[in-house]
Amino acid sequence: MRYLMTTNADGSAPDETLFAEMGRFIEELTASGVLLATGGLGPASILVSSSGGEITVTDGPFAEAKEAVAGFALVEVRSEEEAIELARRFRRIVGDGQSRIQQVFTD
Amino acid sequence: MVPVLDARRTIDAVWKLESAKIIAGLARLVRDVGLAEELAQDALVAALEQWPRTGVPDNPGAWLTAIAKRRAVDHIRRSQLQVRKQEQLAHELDRQSDPEPDDLLRLMLISCHPVLPTEARAALTLRLLGGLTAEEIARAFLSTGPAVTQRIAAAKRTLAERQVSFELPGEEELGARLSSVLEVIYLIFNEGYSATSGDDLMRPGLCQEALRLGRLLAVLAPREAEVHGLVALMEVQASRSAARTGPSGEPVLLHEQNRGRWDQLLIRRGFTAMLRARELGGPPGPYVLQAAIAVCHAQARTAEETDWAQIAALYGALARLLPTPVVQLNRAVAVGMARGPQAGLDLTDPLTGDPALRDYHLLPSVRGDLLARLGRPAEARLEFQRAAALTRNAAERAFLLRRADALAVPATTGPTLGSATRAFLADAGLDAATVRSYGQTLGRLGLALGEGLPLAELTADQVAEVFATAWGGAAARTWNRHRAAVRSFATWAELPEPAARLERRAEPRSTTTPLAPGRLDALCARPGLALREQTLWRLLNESGAGVRAALALNVEDLDLDDRTATPGITWRSGTARLLPHLLVGRTRGPLFLTDRRPGPARTPTADLCPETGRARLSYERAEYLFKQASAGLTLRQLKPRR
């Protein structure tokens, strides 16, 4: 089962230790064959919306900086519980904030 | 908002993520995988007791490791207290307790150790490295939980008894040991990818498990090109999963798949692994070559763009390295695409007589495809029907039958091989035993030539060829029995007499003459002879007991010291030497067992060995094996002259 985990930015700047810990975590996930892809997302976002057939493109500021999605990880695990467990470990490393887990349908 | 927390399922998830590392570390400490797993399981039990109350700890892996290690230390103290001073031991344990990166590699090499039978290696690997339960493994391999438990227990016992080393092998041996690991991982992948039986074409859980193991191994043994080759092969094959089946679960052939449904992420991962394999250099091994073929397919944006010449060349290289009939068959497919169906068909011709492919449905399936493209629909249909009769997979059978029906073939008049044999068996006034015996012969004929073959087209040459493939190596009497069946059918159906090509074979004159002196020694000296056969033959020869009495023996009937068994059977040194090896660890149940456990649908109710799950060896099977080995003698002839 594949899950997409997205994480919101919490506004605070990451420090050296966090980078090192994250590096280790990502390395471990890669080694165990769980992590398929991961990446960080830029803070700026552009909103493309459609209303009554009209397409509008705007710089999409979020109401609050912490609502912006800061990164994602695509993992392949055996159950939802495993995905939750991985997210838990991730959150323990990065501290306050939110992550969201959604199953990715592959068939 | 409801927090998602089910403690038991969370623990299960943590276990699957952490168990391999815990067991691997413990195994280095206690030098026994069985014990290591038990200790790890103890920690799991402790977690199941505590976590529902206290919540899952921050670092569950470390928690489980700590508990398990404490148990290990207790265990070692208990068992070694007499031998070493406590302080010294504590010091050693301290020194050894840091996890080592090689622990997992060691565990993989041991789980896939060549002393274990392949199926045991797969089960043990899934258990120790995947953290799967016996039930989960059983579901994957269509077996039963207790059978898998027994298989795993036997494997652990073998590893302990053979005192398999926990040290990492040196550079030279590593390659050989790794190839056993690769074989197991690919076996697990294939069992998931092309389920050999059952109603589903795929069991995705197994594919994922194999991919996980492969990716892990690539990190543990990064300098082995074949490891990266296997990973590349599996990633690219897995990328096609979604496109391989149609809406009702039927298989979709590679060149008809919707390439938009191929998983680009996995393809890219496959390419990356392939690049790593190439960077390591050296002559490409079988997995790298197979991966290169898979990559070739993945690179084509449409089926028409497939570089078949390149694929045929790669198959040529693979066939030199790994000249198995299946590789030859795949090569024929590629050549058929690169140079036209006739060239492909020519390559399949020598394979039709290969006994290894006798029951392999892909051979007639490929031939059907090539014949259809050559504009020979009638022959193509027959091949598809034969393939359908041979496959054990329901989805595939339906697909093959549809392909057969889709061919425009002028309606055949007159009887087919199938309808004629059925009529013959019903009308020819044969007794029940003969119907059964003839049915066996003619059934094989139908399977080999196609039940739908018009009787008028059946030639003596075809029959002779089937005979050579199916029974060429059989004992004279078996050969003659099948020959009689075919002759009788040919006469009834007024067919050209095939007997001219099928000579009667001379049978040993008297079947009750005892064996010539020294003959048994010669038979027992055959290379590769199973221990079971050797023991049974010696026993019959030395005891003069009846075959049925010997086969009815149970382990608990034996008195090894006294060289007697309860129904009044006694033996001499030859048997006495062999018996302990045959028993290894078994204390009850039938003495002589079948090679394999019965399939789930065929589990007999009685006479199973309680320790291995295998059934008692049947008279028929024992007799057959002896006949094979001795070119037609019977077990009764082993009885010495009075």
mmCIF file of all heavy atoms in Angstrom, chain B residues 240-269:
data_model
loop_
_atom_site.group_PDB
_atom_site.id
_atom_site.type_symbol
_atom_site.label_atom_id
_atom_site.label_comp_id
_atom_site.label_asym_id
_atom_site.label_seq_id
_atom_site.Cartn_x
_atom_site.Cartn_y
_atom_site.Cartn_z
ATOM 1 N N ARG B 240 4.620 -2.585 -13.949
ATOM 2 C CA ARG B 240 3.548 -2.944 -14.891
ATOM 3 C C ARG B 240 2.330 -3.550 -14.209
ATOM 4 O O ARG B 240 1.358 -3.899 -14.870
ATOM 5 C CB ARG B 240 4.071 -3.966 -15.908
ATOM 6 C CG ARG B 240 5.238 -3.480 -16.698
ATOM 7 C CD ARG B 240 5.629 -4.524 -17.741
ATOM 8 N NE ARG B 240 7.000 -4.336 -18.151
ATOM 9 C CZ ARG B 240 7.901 -5.317 -18.213
ATOM 10 N NH1 ARG B 240 7.536 -6.543 -17.903
ATOM 11 N NH2 ARG B 240 9.120 -5.069 -18.586
ATOM 12 N N SER B 241 2.389 -3.687 -12.883
ATOM 13 C CA SER B 241 1.324 -4.404 -12.169
ATOM 14 C C SER B 241 -0.077 -3.959 -12.567
ATOM 15 O O SER B 241 -0.940 -4.771 -12.875
ATOM 16 C CB SER B 241 1.481 -4.215 -10.661
ATOM 17 O OG SER B 241 2.703 -4.738 -10.249
ATOM 18 N N ALA B 242 -0.286 -2.642 -12.545
ATOM 19 C CA ALA B 242 -1.637 -2.145 -12.773
ATOM 20 C C ALA B 242 -2.114 -2.437 -14.190
ATOM 21 O O ALA B 242 -3.314 -2.565 -14.434
ATOM 22 C CB ALA B 242 -1.684 -0.648 -12.504
ATOM 23 N N ALA B 243 -1.165 -2.542 -15.131
ATOM 24 C CA ALA B 243 -1.546 -2.715 -16.534
ATOM 25 C C ALA B 243 -1.670 -4.186 -16.925
ATOM 26 O O ALA B 243 -2.125 -4.498 -18.021
ATOM 27 C CB ALA B 243 -0.516 -2.027 -17.431
ATOM 28 N N ARG B 244 -1.270 -5.082 -16.031
ATOM 29 C CA ARG B 244 -1.197 -6.494 -16.406
ATOM 30 C C ARG B 244 -2.538 -7.216 -16.419
ATOM 31 O O ARG B 244 -2.646 -8.304 -16.951
ATOM 32 C CB ARG B 244 -0.277 -7.251 -15.454
ATOM 33 C CG ARG B 244 1.168 -7.014 -15.699
ATOM 34 C CD ARG B 244 1.946 -7.786 -14.690
ATOM 35 N NE ARG B 244 1.937 -9.214 -14.962
ATOM 36 C CZ ARG B 244 1.867 -10.152 -14.038
ATOM 37 N NH1 ARG B 244 1.743 -9.832 -12.787
ATOM 38 N NH2 ARG B 244 1.907 -11.422 -14.372
ATOM 39 N N THR B 245 -3.528 -6.621 -15.744
ATOM 40 C CA THR B 245 -4.819 -7.287 -15.732
ATOM 41 C C THR B 245 -5.896 -6.369 -16.259
ATOM 42 O O THR B 245 -5.847 -5.149 -16.056
ATOM 43 C CB THR B 245 -5.199 -7.719 -14.299
ATOM 44 O OG1 THR B 245 -4.920 -6.636 -13.416
ATOM 45 C CG2 THR B 245 -4.398 -8.921 -13.862
ATOM 46 N N GLY B 246 -6.839 -6.957 -16.953
ATOM 47 C CA GLY B 246 -7.951 -6.194 -17.482
ATOM 48 C C GLY B 246 -9.052 -6.069 -16.442
ATOM 49 O O GLY B 246 -8.890 -6.521 -15.312
ATOM 50 N N PRO B 247 -10.179 -5.467 -16.849
ATOM 51 C CA PRO B 247 -11.249 -5.174 -15.896
ATOM 52 C C PRO B 247 -11.746 -6.416 -15.142
ATOM 53 O O PRO B 247 -12.105 -6.319 -13.977
ATOM 54 C CB PRO B 247 -12.364 -4.601 -16.764
ATOM 55 C CG PRO B 247 -11.736 -4.265 -18.066
ATOM 56 C CD PRO B 247 -10.471 -5.035 -18.200
ATOM 57 N N SER B 248 -11.743 -7.586 -15.781
ATOM 58 C CA SER B 248 -12.266 -8.748 -15.054
ATOM 59 C C SER B 248 -11.138 -9.663 -14.588
ATOM 60 O O SER B 248 -11.343 -10.857 -14.404
ATOM 61 C CB SER B 248 -13.270 -9.505 -15.917
ATOM 62 O OG SER B 248 -12.744 -9.699 -17.212
ATOM 63 N N GLY B 249 -9.967 -9.111 -14.426
ATOM 64 C CA GLY B 249 -8.873 -9.886 -13.859
ATOM 65 C C GLY B 249 -8.115 -10.737 -14.859
ATOM 66 O O GLY B 249 -7.256 -11.513 -14.486
ATOM 67 N N GLU B 250 -8.452 -10.611 -16.146
ATOM 68 C CA GLU B 250 -7.759 -11.430 -17.145
ATOM 69 C C GLU B 250 -6.380 -10.839 -17.444
ATOM 70 O O GLU B 250 -6.177 -9.635 -17.314
ATOM 71 C CB GLU B 250 -8.598 -11.530 -18.426
ATOM 72 C CG GLU B 250 -8.593 -10.290 -19.311
ATOM 73 C CD GLU B 250 -9.531 -9.205 -18.815
ATOM 74 O OE1 GLU B 250 -10.007 -9.308 -17.667
ATOM 75 O OE2 GLU B 250 -9.751 -8.239 -19.570
ATOM 76 N N PRO B 251 -5.412 -11.668 -17.805
ATOM 77 C CA PRO B 251 -4.079 -11.133 -18.076
ATOM 78 C C PRO B 251 -4.063 -10.314 -19.369
ATOM 79 O O PRO B 251 -4.753 -10.639 -20.334
ATOM 80 C CB PRO B 251 -3.228 -12.389 -18.220
ATOM 81 C CG PRO B 251 -4.163 -13.478 -18.566
ATOM 82 C CD PRO B 251 -5.486 -13.126 -17.962
ATOM 83 N N VAL B 252 -3.299 -9.229 -19.365
ATOM 84 C CA VAL B 252 -3.102 -8.438 -20.577
ATOM 85 C C VAL B 252 -1.632 -8.593 -20.958
ATOM 86 O O VAL B 252 -0.746 -8.343 -20.141
ATOM 87 C CB VAL B 252 -3.442 -6.952 -20.334
ATOM 88 C CG1 VAL B 252 -3.229 -6.149 -21.598
ATOM 89 C CG2 VAL B 252 -4.862 -6.813 -19.837
ATOM 90 N N LEU B 253 -1.382 -9.030 -22.188
ATOM 91 C CA LEU B 253 -0.010 -9.277 -22.617
ATOM 92 C C LEU B 253 0.786 -7.984 -22.678
ATOM 93 O O LEU B 253 0.229 -6.907 -22.915
ATOM 94 C CB LEU B 253 0.000 -9.945 -23.998
ATOM 95 C CG LEU B 253 -0.648 -11.317 -24.042
ATOM 96 C CD1 LEU B 253 -0.657 -11.856 -25.459
ATOM 97 C CD2 LEU B 253 0.086 -12.272 -23.113
ATOM 98 N N LEU B 254 2.095 -8.143 -22.489
ATOM 99 C CA LEU B 254 2.981 -6.984 -22.409
ATOM 100 C C LEU B 254 2.757 -5.980 -23.536
ATOM 101 O O LEU B 254 2.582 -4.789 -23.308
ATOM 102 C CB LEU B 254 4.434 -7.462 -22.413
ATOM 103 C CG LEU B 254 5.495 -6.388 -22.328
ATOM 104 C CD1 LEU B 254 5.392 -5.659 -20.995
ATOM 105 C CD2 LEU B 254 6.878 -6.996 -22.490
ATOM 106 N N HIS B 255 2.730 -6.486 -24.793
ATOM 107 C CA HIS B 255 2.660 -5.506 -25.880
ATOM 108 C C HIS B 255 1.251 -4.973 -26.122
ATOM 109 O O HIS B 255 1.038 -4.140 -26.981
ATOM 110 C CB HIS B 255 3.293 -6.062 -27.165
ATOM 111 C CG HIS B 255 2.687 -7.342 -27.632
ATOM 112 N ND1 HIS B 255 3.189 -8.566 -27.275
ATOM 113 C CD2 HIS B 255 1.630 -7.593 -28.404
ATOM 114 C CE1 HIS B 255 2.457 -9.514 -27.820
ATOM 115 N NE2 HIS B 255 1.512 -8.953 -28.507
ATOM 116 N N GLU B 256 0.296 -5.479 -25.335
ATOM 117 C CA GLU B 256 -1.051 -4.904 -25.438
ATOM 118 C C GLU B 256 -1.402 -4.042 -24.233
ATOM 119 O O GLU B 256 -2.503 -3.511 -24.128
ATOM 120 C CB GLU B 256 -2.088 -6.046 -25.565
ATOM 121 C CG GLU B 256 -2.100 -6.661 -26.953
ATOM 122 C CD GLU B 256 -2.746 -8.034 -26.974
ATOM 123 O OE1 GLU B 256 -3.364 -8.412 -25.966
ATOM 124 O OE2 GLU B 256 -2.616 -8.706 -28.004
ATOM 125 N N GLN B 257 -0.449 -3.910 -23.306
ATOM 126 C CA GLN B 257 -0.742 -3.145 -22.098
ATOM 127 C C GLN B 257 -0.817 -1.647 -22.388
ATOM 128 O O GLN B 257 -0.134 -1.141 -23.262
ATOM 129 C CB GLN B 257 0.343 -3.414 -21.034
ATOM 130 C CG GLN B 257 0.211 -4.788 -20.417
ATOM 131 C CD GLN B 257 1.379 -5.147 -19.517
ATOM 132 O OE1 GLN B 257 2.230 -4.308 -19.239
ATOM 133 N NE2 GLN B 257 1.418 -6.381 -19.073
ATOM 134 N N ASN B 258 -1.656 -0.987 -21.607
ATOM 135 C CA ASN B 258 -1.751 0.458 -21.676
ATOM 136 C C ASN B 258 -0.566 1.050 -20.924
ATOM 137 O O ASN B 258 -0.522 1.028 -19.705
ATOM 138 C CB ASN B 258 -3.086 0.894 -21.044
ATOM 139 C CG ASN B 258 -3.195 2.410 -20.938
ATOM 140 O OD1 ASN B 258 -2.267 3.135 -21.314
ATOM 141 N ND2 ASN B 258 -4.316 2.873 -20.430
ATOM 142 N N ARG B 259 0.401 1.556 -21.694
ATOM 143 C CA ARG B 259 1.649 1.988 -21.059
ATOM 144 C C ARG B 259 1.453 3.212 -20.170
ATOM 145 O O ARG B 259 2.306 3.536 -19.353
ATOM 146 C CB ARG B 259 2.705 2.263 -22.133
ATOM 147 C CG ARG B 259 3.187 0.950 -22.685
ATOM 148 C CD ARG B 259 4.025 0.987 -23.917
ATOM 149 N NE ARG B 259 4.054 -0.395 -24.414
ATOM 150 C CZ ARG B 259 5.157 -1.123 -24.564
ATOM 151 N NH1 ARG B 259 6.322 -0.597 -24.332
ATOM 152 N NH2 ARG B 259 5.081 -2.367 -24.965
ATOM 153 N N GLY B 260 0.331 3.886 -20.339
ATOM 154 C CA GLY B 260 0.020 4.997 -19.451
ATOM 155 C C GLY B 260 -0.193 4.533 -18.020
ATOM 156 O O GLY B 260 -0.098 5.316 -17.081
ATOM 157 N N ARG B 261 -0.501 3.247 -17.874
ATOM 158 C CA ARG B 261 -0.736 2.737 -16.527
ATOM 159 C C ARG B 261 0.534 2.184 -15.892
ATOM 160 O O ARG B 261 0.507 1.723 -14.764
ATOM 161 C CB ARG B 261 -1.824 1.661 -16.558
ATOM 162 C CG ARG B 261 -3.142 2.175 -17.126
ATOM 163 C CD ARG B 261 -4.245 1.180 -16.918
ATOM 164 N NE ARG B 261 -4.568 1.043 -15.495
ATOM 165 C CZ ARG B 261 -5.305 0.078 -14.996
ATOM 166 N NH1 ARG B 261 -5.795 -0.852 -15.784
ATOM 167 N NH2 ARG B 261 -5.560 0.016 -13.709
ATOM 168 N N TRP B 262 1.624 2.174 -16.644
ATOM 169 C CA TRP B 262 2.882 1.741 -16.032
ATOM 170 C C TRP B 262 3.311 2.797 -15.016
ATOM 171 O O TRP B 262 3.167 3.996 -15.259
ATOM 172 C CB TRP B 262 3.972 1.581 -17.105
ATOM 173 C CG TRP B 262 3.791 0.368 -17.943
ATOM 174 C CD1 TRP B 262 2.777 -0.539 -17.851
ATOM 175 C CD2 TRP B 262 4.643 -0.080 -19.007
ATOM 176 N NE1 TRP B 262 2.944 -1.527 -18.788
ATOM 177 C CE2 TRP B 262 4.083 -1.279 -19.503
ATOM 178 C CE3 TRP B 262 5.808 0.399 -19.579
ATOM 179 C CZ2 TRP B 262 4.653 -1.985 -20.556
ATOM 180 C CZ3 TRP B 262 6.385 -0.308 -20.623
ATOM 181 C CH2 TRP B 262 5.805 -1.490 -21.099
ATOM 182 N N ASP B 263 3.845 2.336 -13.916
ATOM 183 C CA ASP B 263 4.225 3.231 -12.836
ATOM 184 C C ASP B 263 5.593 3.840 -13.126
ATOM 185 O O ASP B 263 6.624 3.194 -12.997
ATOM 186 C CB ASP B 263 4.250 2.428 -11.528
ATOM 187 C CG ASP B 263 4.451 3.317 -10.327
ATOM 188 O OD1 ASP B 263 5.121 4.360 -10.463
ATOM 189 O OD2 ASP B 263 3.935 2.962 -9.248
ATOM 190 N N GLN B 264 5.567 5.114 -13.549
ATOM 191 C CA GLN B 264 6.820 5.765 -13.951
ATOM 192 C C GLN B 264 7.817 5.878 -12.814
ATOM 193 O O GLN B 264 9.029 5.833 -13.015
ATOM 194 C CB GLN B 264 6.529 7.157 -14.528
ATOM 195 C CG GLN B 264 5.766 7.116 -15.833
ATOM 196 C CD GLN B 264 6.496 6.321 -16.907
ATOM 197 O OE1 GLN B 264 7.716 6.386 -17.014
ATOM 198 N NE2 GLN B 264 5.760 5.530 -17.676
ATOM 199 N N LEU B 265 7.286 6.017 -11.605
ATOM 200 C CA LEU B 265 8.166 6.128 -10.445
ATOM 201 C C LEU B 265 9.010 4.863 -10.301
ATOM 202 O O LEU B 265 10.224 4.917 -10.126
ATOM 203 C CB LEU B 265 7.319 6.352 -9.190
ATOM 204 C CG LEU B 265 8.079 6.398 -7.879
ATOM 205 C CD1 LEU B 265 8.890 7.664 -7.774
ATOM 206 C CD2 LEU B 265 7.126 6.281 -6.706
ATOM 207 N N LEU B 266 8.349 3.707 -10.401
ATOM 208 C CA LEU B 266 9.071 2.442 -10.265
ATOM 209 C C LEU B 266 10.003 2.224 -11.453
ATOM 210 O O LEU B 266 11.103 1.695 -11.297
ATOM 211 C CB LEU B 266 8.097 1.269 -10.123
ATOM 212 C CG LEU B 266 7.302 1.221 -8.818
ATOM 213 C CD1 LEU B 266 6.470 -0.051 -8.749
ATOM 214 C CD2 LEU B 266 8.226 1.305 -7.612
ATOM 215 N N ILE B 267 9.577 2.617 -12.634
ATOM 216 C CA ILE B 267 10.455 2.488 -13.810
ATOM 217 C C ILE B 267 11.731 3.285 -13.588
ATOM 218 O O ILE B 267 12.836 2.802 -13.820
ATOM 219 C CB ILE B 267 9.730 2.966 -15.090
ATOM 220 C CG1 ILE B 267 8.621 1.981 -15.445
ATOM 221 C CG2 ILE B 267 10.713 3.112 -16.248
ATOM 222 C CD1 ILE B 267 7.842 2.339 -16.680
ATOM 223 N N ARG B 268 11.563 4.508 -13.091
ATOM 224 C CA ARG B 268 12.745 5.333 -12.871
ATOM 225 C C ARG B 268 13.651 4.719 -11.812
ATOM 226 O O ARG B 268 14.865 4.699 -11.945
ATOM 227 C CB ARG B 268 12.336 6.752 -12.476
ATOM 228 C CG ARG B 268 13.262 7.783 -13.083
ATOM 229 C CD ARG B 268 12.824 9.211 -12.821
ATOM 230 N NE ARG B 268 12.358 9.434 -11.482
ATOM 231 C CZ ARG B 268 11.115 9.812 -11.181
ATOM 232 N NH1 ARG B 268 10.229 9.964 -12.132
ATOM 233 N NH2 ARG B 268 10.774 10.036 -9.929
ATOM 234 N N ARG B 269 13.031 4.173 -10.771
ATOM 235 C CA ARG B 269 13.838 3.496 -9.734
ATOM 236 C C ARG B 269 14.578 2.307 -10.336
ATOM 237 O O ARG B 269 15.720 2.032 -10.002
ATOM 238 C CB ARG B 269 12.951 3.040 -8.580
ATOM 239 C CG ARG B 269 12.361 4.191 -7.771
ATOM 240 C CD ARG B 269 11.460 3.646 -6.673
ATOM 241 N NE ARG B 269 12.212 2.812 -5.755
ATOM 242 C CZ ARG B 269 12.715 3.232 -4.609
ATOM 243 N NH1 ARG B 269 12.519 4.474 -4.233
ATOM 244 N NH2 ARG B 269 13.389 2.433 -3.841
#
